[in-house]
Amino acid sequence: MTRYLDNGSTTFPKPACVADAVYEYMTVVGANAGRGRYGSAYSVEDRMFECRERLAQLFGASDCSHVVFSKNVTESLNVLLKGWLRPGDHVIVSSMEHNSVMRPLVQLESRGVSFSRAECDREGALVPGALERCLTPNTRAVVMTHVSNVCGTIMPIRQVGEFCQAHGLRFFLDSAQSAGVLPISMPEDHIDAVAFTGHKGLLGPQGIGGLVLGDSIAAEVEPLIAGGTGSASDMECMPRFLPDRLEAGTQNLPGIMGLHASLGWLQQTGIEAVHAHEVALAGQMLEELAPLEAAGRVRLAGKHGTEGRLATISIQTPGRDEAQVADALASDFGILTRVGLHCAPNAHKTLGTFPHGTIRFSLGYFNTPDDVHAAVDALREVLQ
């Protein structure tokens, strides 16, 4: 029996309505949005609009036209950072960031943009006063993950937003690991832009994500890609209005239809219920791992309790190669995890798990207590 414990990479399975929506679009509808003046094309436009509305509601955005679709959170962050930062600008990140934040910023260094890393502790939590110590006269924004993809630690985004408001900075949030599991309110958390992906906590398909822009920054982000939009076709420059200004080319309409369905499922289920279930599973796994840790057979990276974390649990196996252990879990017991550095090398340096990385168990809404128990039992067998 296979047990999928790699939901931090992509959630699986998805709600049945997601596949149904993608299949219906591919087999019944099929038309493009904004390119046809007939009923099926209009129906796609309506569904896209409803999807934007649901996303705006989820993140507390005031204008659904400020919801811009992309392929994933990585593309969204590239659109945002490369379309807004200018030579001489300085930004602050945490020491726990994913490469979806860091690689665009490293690219932008050659254009005169600089960054500083705010220190986090060995549990992945932001150190008090770390943001203040990174401030410079040319600091313009804080760019930060909401939840570590390595160890599940939750960043204090309300306090970060208040810090940004107090210092006249923009706050850009990477919600890859949190959207659909934790509440995010752009006005209450003082967030200027949220980058999201559809295939993780939002339970949609791969290949669809986006960017939600606050009112004050919506007109400031320049397009990363230019091309056809189906609107303002008399002009050879990009439209100035959103979302068209940042959405060149044909969109991933099957993905949007699937995301529309998953957002409806989340509305009915409630992200509070999703969060409660996943954290309960995390608590069970941490409890069952404790004897292995006490015996020195595993080392936990990150927080040992359920406070301030989501259901992503990373371990090292002292004296045993983590890749070999993960391979044995999969091949001998059907326990599917992710091993390595998880596209976040500096997070592992912060946690003290670099360069070997960790085995990551990331639990999702459709996992069960039996999955957790089977995973720990299998780990115990492999480590004997």
Side-chain angles (χ1 to χ4, degrees):
M1 179 179 181
T2 298
R3 300 178 189 271
Y4 184 83
L5 299 174
D6 193 20
N7 291 279
S9 176
T10 190
T11 48
F12 180 79
K14 313 291 186 183
C17 61
V18 176
D20 291 343
V22 174
Y23 184 78
E24 179 187 19
Y25 173 79
M26 296 295 293
T27 58
V28 177
V29 183
N32 268 338
R35 271 78 168 175
R37 293 294 176 258
Y38 43 85
S40 57
Y42 291 138
S43 72
V44 174
E45 291 179 26
D46 289 344
R47 191 62 59 87
M48 287 183 72
F49 182 78
E50 290 172 4
C51 191
R52 293 187 208 274
E53 285 190 315
R54 288 179 176 181
L55 288 161
Q57 181 180 351
L58 180 70
F59 295 112
S62 61
D63 189 342
C64 71
S65 73
H66 295 173
V67 176
V68 177
F69 289 121
S70 70
K71 293 194 297 292
N72 45 51
V73 74
T74 298
E75 183 175 283
S76 297
L77 286 163
N78 273 266
V79 169
L80 178 63
L81 297 175
K82 294 175 180 177
W84 187 78
L85 290 169
R86 300 291 179 264
D89 290 347
H90 172 262
V91 299
I92 301 171
V93 299
S94 81
S95 67
M96 295 296 292
E97 298 307 312
H98 188 276
N99 278 342
S100 58
V101 168
M102 296 315 306
R103 286 181 173 173
L105 288 177
V106 169
Q107 281 188 326
L108 286 168
E109 281 189 301
S110 65
R111 306 182 200 174
V113 174
S114 61
F115 64 86
S116 299
R117 301 182 203 262
E119 181 186 3
C120 296
D121 62 24
R122 279 299 179 99
E123 293 187 337
L126 191 65
V127 171
L131 293 175
E132 288 86 346
R133 288 190 288 274
C134 291
L135 271 176
T136 70
N138 59 331
T139 302
R140 291 195 69 203
V142 172
V143 187
M144 189 173 292
T145 186
H146 191 179
V147 174
S148 167
N149 72 306
V150 176
C151 64
T153 298
I154 301 170
M155 295 297 181
I157 62 169
R158 180 67 55 85
Q159 292 94 314
V160 174
E162 290 171 351
F163 170 86
C164 290
Q165 188 178 50
H167 293 278
L169 309 178
R170 302 292 194 182
F171 182 24
F172 301 155
L173 186 71
D174 171 1
S175 72
Q177 297 292 325
S178 61
V181 183
L182 290 176
I184 298 170
S185 170
M186 293 179 71
E188 293 179 10
D189 297 326
H190 309 291
I191 300 168
D192 294 284
V194 175
F196 69 89
T197 197
H199 69 102
K200 298 190 183 188
L202 295 182
L203 297 166
Q206 287 97 332
I208 184 64
L211 189 61
V212 186
L213 298 171
D215 295 342
S216 63
I217 200 173
E220 299 178 5
V221 181
E222 292 300 317
L224 181 65
I225 300 172
T229 61
S231 60
S233 295
D234 58 319
M235 302 166 54
E236 291 185 333
C237 59
M238 291 298 289
R240 294 306 302 171
F241 54 86
L242 287 174
D244 300 46
R245 187 172 80 249
L246 302 178
E247 284 186 352
T250 301
Q251 299 300 302
N252 177 6
L253 295 171
I256 292 171
M257 299 305 110
L259 180 59
H260 176 272
S262 70
L263 291 168
W265 184 92
L266 275 171
Q267 285 179 342
Q268 291 182 341
T269 305
I271 64 172
E272 298 85 0
V274 172
H275 178 249
H277 176 73
E278 293 185 6
V279 169
L281 293 178
Q284 177 192 344
M285 175 163 269
L286 291 168
E287 183 177 345
E288 293 193 24
L289 285 172
L292 289 174
E293 185 172 30
R297 294 161 71 187
V298 304
R299 173 183 176 265
L300 181 68
K303 293 180 177 291
H304 283 67
T306 57
E307 186 71 25
R309 65 136 62 240
L310 289 188
T312 295
I313 297 171
S314 277
I315 63 166
Q316 289 190 311
T317 51
R320 296 287 300 274
D321 182 85
E322 283 77 17
Q324 291 180 351
V325 172
D327 182 67
L329 287 173
S331 60
D332 298 343
F333 297 94
I335 305 298
L336 308 185
T337 65
R338 184 177 176 188
V339 65
L341 294 174
H342 313 98
C343 301
N346 206 74
H348 281 278
K349 292 176 183 178
T350 300
L351 297 168
T353 52
F354 187 87
H356 300 290
T358 58
I359 303 168
R360 187 183 72 180
F361 301 84
S362 45
L363 308 167
Y365 182 76
F366 292 104
N367 284 126
T368 66
D370 190 52
D371 291 335
V372 172
H373 187 65
V376 178
D377 271 355
L379 180 65
R380 189 178 296 110
E381 289 287 326
V382 172
L383 295 178
Q384 279 185 348

